Amino acid sequence: MSDFIIYNTLSRKKEIFKPLNPGHVGMYVCGPTVYGEAHLGHSRPAITFDLLFRYLQHIGYKVRYIRNITDVGHLVNDADEGEDKITKKAKVEELEPMEIVQLYTNSYRRNMTQLNVLPPSIEPSASGHIIEQIAAVQKLIDSGFAYTVNGSVYFDVEKFASVHTYGKLSGRKIEDLYSNTRELDAQTEKRSSLDFAVWKNASTEHIMKWPSPWGEGFPGWHIECTAMSTKYLGETFDIHGGGLDLLFPHHEAEVAQGMACFGHDPVHYWMHNNLITINGQKMGKSLGNFITLDELFLGTHPLLEKAYSPITIRFFILQAHYRSPLDFSNEALQAAEKGLDRLLKAVDLLDKLQPADVSTIDVKGLTEKCYSAINDDLNTPVLIAHLFDGVKMINSANDGKASVNKEDLEALKKLYHDFTFDILGFKSEAATSGAANDEILGEVVDLLLNYRVEAKNNKDWATSDKIRNRLTELGFEIKDNKEGFSWELKK
RNA sequence: GGUCGGUUGGCCGAGUGGUUAGGCAACGGUCUGCAAAACCGUCUACGGCGGUUCGAAUCCGCCACCGACCUCCA
């Protein structure tokens, strides 16, 4: 089998993946800030790194996957100066900040389950790791790369840059950063406009705050990931993932903090998923152009022509490469829905296929193609294309225009089970004959269709068509075949 | 303005120095009582202009257009 290759943002190259400790992988991914419903944009990193998590396990690694919950810090937007995102929302809805956190954490987890995203090994929250963050801040002060002003602590970028390289992850040069920095008010505390807060003094009206050696305050945005990744994965770990929009300043700050604390890079492989766009623009909370996952699943957003199932969303996302932008549209979603249906039907068909004496299908070649696609930086669009090539073969075999022997049929079943369900994480959502969600409903439909068979045998096409048309109207798809019929419930 | 990335057929979306990506849609055919599903076939693109090359959508240069980020006041 070919090597597993991933694109490392740090080197801007594809690299062969080699874990720090043989057989084990430590992986950290930036999770959501829980101050609102999860939207389509949130699903991309979740699904991308779920795929990675699943695949690493498939090829035999024991993986510890950390995905954090950010529940302190972050402004709502520029207009809400000085207030933290969670605090702001709390005041609006007159709830305790931790109530907001709980509400949206629950809803995020529910959405992730719907998308068939596996729960990470550990899902730490920033508010649950204040002690670790204070310790990390202290370490930065001790190492001389952070300074204290009026109860806040700032990272000294200039000092850091005199010893290490600042900007190597995002490809920024410190001179450029200086020339591009806007003059902002109240930056007088900081020695340089490039410095960033690692601990922030809280005003009296600020609700979410904790005691610290520097007074009451709250941690800076970037320090939580440094503190929590270090705690659970160590000073150096294998993979850090997240959205491309976090590359700068967030991940750059993490690199700097790690270097400042430990004297070496904290992460071997940095991976960034691209963003979902809508009308060519980033879909994001701050832009207000987002569609929540619940709206997608229910079809309630005005831009949606219909509801799209969670697995359709998953398929839509995986049919594009994770490093490419992906544009939302009803047409694309509907194409995904139909494509997914075709794939899942063919997988279903595998169980009904009768083995032949000879094989006209090159299962081994197909398997190799699938592995080399996913090994090439998780190239799921190519992987899915190969799976569709196989779909054509499976359908042909079902039509008697191709054949597989027993051994190949078993291999084909394993291939599709592994890739479609275990690795890509798709699953069947529709009720079908034989596997109906509702047994009684299934029997009733069978009953009606058996009457239709009787009518057909009597050449009573009027009755026959009436039954089929009425069922079709209700959302059933009726297919006649030599054995009689089969049906499925379309949503 | 700076940095980085992108521009592919009706739509989505891969790929890449010479060979069919794939999905969806459309059209023709097979099958069917008629359908549906499936199968077979058709549809051959790579922003513009130059350059390198036997050959470029793929490499180089320029131009145009689009996008992301450019830092905390939290």
Side-chain angles (χ1 to χ4, degrees), chain A residues 43-113:
Chain A
S43 66
R44 197 162 194 198
I47 289 170
T48 298
F49 295 106
D50 181 56
L51 169 80
L52 179 61
F53 182 41
R54 286 164 177 270
Y55 186 59
L56 286 168
Q57 291 181 100
H58 176 80
I59 56 180
Y61 289 110
K62 191 167 188 333
V63 186
R64 182 179 293 164
Y65 173 22
I66 316 292
R67 190 185 62 208
N68 65 299
I69 298 279
T70 297
D71 57 358
V72 295
H74 294 215
L75 277 175
V76 172
N77 59 43
D78 292 334
D80 299 293
E81 289 182 19
E83 270 187 310
D84 141 333
K85 279 180 176 174
I86 309 287
T87 309
K88 166 80 178 167
K89 190 84 179 174
K91 284 178 182 169
V92 169
E93 298 188 358
E94 294 181 352
L95 292 167
E96 270 299 313
M98 286 313 281
E99 245 179 309
I100 304 285
V101 164
Q102 188 68 53
L103 179 70
Y104 292 124
T105 301
N106 289 346
S107 128
Y108 179 78
R109 288 193 178 130
R110 178 175 48 80
N111 286 156
M112 291 306 115
T113 304

Side-chain angles (χ1 to χ4, degrees), chain A residues 16-315:
Chain A
I16 294 175
F17 176 71
K18 287 197 186 99
L20 281 162
N21 304 301
H24 293 259
V25 179
M27 159 177 165
Y28 186 97
V29 173
C30 291
T33 302
V34 281
Y35 70 109
E37 294 290 340
H39 60 74
L40 184 57
H42 289 114
S43 66
R44 197 162 194 198
I47 289 170
T48 298
F49 295 106
D50 181 56
L51 169 80
L52 179 61
F53 182 41
R54 286 164 177 270
Y55 186 59
L56 286 168
Q57 291 181 100
H58 176 80
I59 56 180
Y61 289 110
K62 191 167 188 333
V63 186
R64 182 179 293 164
Y65 173 22
I66 316 292
R67 190 185 62 208
N68 65 299
I69 298 279
T70 297
D71 57 358
V72 295
H74 294 215
L75 277 175
V76 172
N77 59 43
D78 292 334
D80 299 293
E81 289 182 19
E83 270 187 310
D84 141 333
K85 279 180 176 174
I86 309 287
T87 309
K88 166 80 178 167
K89 190 84 179 174
K91 284 178 182 169
V92 169
E93 298 188 358
E94 294 181 352
L95 292 167
E96 270 299 313
M98 286 313 281
E99 245 179 309
I100 304 285
V101 164
Q102 188 68 53
L103 179 70
Y104 292 124
T105 301
N106 289 346
S107 128
Y108 179 78
R109 288 193 178 130
R110 178 175 48 80
N111 286 156
M112 291 306 115
T113 304
Q114 287 173 302
L115 289 167
N116 209 18
V117 167
L118 299 172
S121 321
I122 304 176
E123 215 173 357
S125 67
S127 68
H129 295 75
I130 299 296
I131 290 168
E132 288 83 352
Q133 292 179 79
I134 289 172
V137 172
Q138 189 59 56
K139 194 155 187 174
L140 288 172
I141 295 173
D142 294 346
S143 67
F145 290 115
Y147 57 90
T148 312
V149 187
N150 302 329
S152 292
V153 184
Y154 294 99
F155 190 92
D156 192 334
V157 171
E158 203 162 312
K159 176 138 188 221
F160 177 83
S162 69
V163 186
H164 302 291
T165 314
Y166 183 76
K168 66 179 175 184
L169 180 64
S170 58
R172 280 171 168 77
K173 292 187 185 68
I174 203 152
E175 315 83 77
D176 295 339
L177 289 169
Y178 271 117
S179 62
N180 290 325
T181 304
R182 290 168 292 161
E183 279 306 316
L184 294 166
D185 301 333
Q187 281 196 340
T188 46
E189 268 189 11
K190 297 196 293 181
R191 290 181 189 167
S192 155
S193 57
L194 300 187
D195 295 351
F196 53 87
V198 288
W199 184 266
K200 195 69 193 162
N201 177 244
S203 54
T204 43
E205 58 270 20
H206 202 98
I207 307 172
M208 288 189 109
K209 58 188 169 189
W210 291 265
S212 80
W214 316 282
E216 293 244 298
F218 52 96
W221 173 26
H222 316 304
I223 203 72
E224 67 177 84
C225 293
T226 296
M228 298 193 293
S229 64
T230 306
K231 173 161 182 169
Y232 298 113
L233 300 173
E235 290 181 7
T236 311
F237 56 96
D238 296 295
I239 299 170
H240 189 128
L244 197 56
D245 51 347
L246 299 177
L247 181 56
F248 191 89
H250 184 53
H251 291 159
E252 197 65 73
E254 273 188 71
V255 171
Q257 286 168 351
M259 290 291 288
C261 283
F262 317 122
H264 54 76
D265 266 316
V267 176
H268 268 198
Y269 302 90
W270 280 93
M271 295 177 76
H272 292 93
N273 63 275
N274 215 313
L275 310 175
I276 291 184
T277 56
I278 181 160
N279 298 321
Q281 221 186 18
K282 169 187 171 180
M283 183 182 283
K285 183 87 178 166
S286 51
L287 291 165
N289 62 353
F290 60 92
I291 303 176
T292 70
L293 290 168
D294 282 338
E295 285 168 339
L296 275 161
F297 301 159
L298 298 170
T300 51
H301 190 100
L303 284 173
L304 298 172
E305 288 168 9
K306 63 187 286 295
Y308 300 99
S309 79
I311 303 301
T312 297
I313 302 299
R314 191 176 174 108
F315 186 87

Side-chain angles (χ1 to χ4, degrees), chain A residues 359-375:
Chain A
S359 262
T360 58
I361 299 175
D362 179 12
V363 181
K364 198 173 226 173
L366 183 63
T367 306
E368 276 165 18
K369 281 183 191 168
C370 288
Y371 277 101
S372 56
I374 194 154
N375 278 335

